[in-house]
Amino acid sequence: MDRVRAWHPDVPAVREVFHATFDSHAYPAHTHDTWTVLLIDEGAVSYALERSGHIAAPRSLTLLPPHVPHDGRSAVDGASFRKRVLYLDEDWLPSRSVSAAVSRPLVQDARAVAAVRAIHGALESPGDTLAAEGSILSLAELVLQHWGTATAGRTDAPLARRLRAMLDDRLTESFTLSEAARLLGAHPSHLVRSFSRAYGISPHRYVTGRRIDLARRLLLVGHPPARVAAEAGFHDQAHLTRHFRRVLGTTPGAFAA
């Protein structure tokens, strides 16, 4: 039986997230005004992009550019397929990328596939907006490198220091990298790239680590985990527990005890 799920997360650049399992559905030729980032989890999909045939299979990404017709159906007659799709703003990639995507829509890059899986995981988790946004910006860099269309980026240490100061000042607040970029007068991709090169860690991992440090201090002076989650900037206690366990290998409760 066909199953679909779609939602619009409050994450910059993301128009829609679409998860679906289809037993027999075939898409007629159509277009989107967004970039379509297609991840196949089971089965395979055959499609035509500007009259050229392609196959989307697991362990690879398919990037369909905006305003270019494509269709889609199971690559094996009678077989189902399961997919996850991100619809991203048209300006997520520069306009010069459209021709590269038409020629080479299949991206067989393990880092890019891992980034998309991380994006979907973060979008499923309340409170991980910053992680999703950072991975979306990183994915753009990986895709442009894959196509050989990336421009040489310089490390901007002063900008990285300004971002770190902002992250420290707003450690427990909810904000986006796009918002930080506007305040600092930089493009989000350049902001993230400069920070990662300067400090060897992405902005969202830096924030998470600092929040975990704050949570540890609060737990050790006797604050209960639910209160600590709110005071340290986590969405809720479950959000705190998930990241606490990932970083420290134990739960907040066990750590406090």
Side-chain angles (χ1 to χ4, degrees), residues 41-66:
D41 292 308
E42 293 180 6
V45 172
S46 65
Y47 63 96
L49 180 66
E50 214 173 54
R51 296 182 294 279
S52 294
H54 302 275
I55 299 289
R59 294 180 297 282
S60 65
L61 296 180
T62 295
L63 268 75
L64 305 176

Side-chain angles (χ1 to χ4, degrees), residues 58-94:
R59 294 180 297 282
S60 65
L61 296 180
T62 295
L63 268 75
L64 305 176
H67 308 296
V68 178
H70 60 276
D71 58 13
R73 67 199 58 79
S74 176
V76 180
D77 288 343
S80 63
F81 61 90
R82 181 163 59 89
K83 67 176 186 175
R84 288 180 284 175
V85 187
L86 298 169
Y87 295 100
L88 303 178
D89 285 344
E90 186 174 351
D91 62 0
W92 172 63
L93 293 177

Side-chain angles (χ1 to χ4, degrees), residues 205-223:
R205 288 199 180 277
Y206 175 81
V207 168
T208 300
R210 290 293 317 283
R211 287 175 174 172
I212 291 294
D213 282 346
L214 176 56
R216 293 170 69 169
R217 291 194 292 271
L218 294 172
L219 288 165
L220 290 177
V221 296
H223 292 202

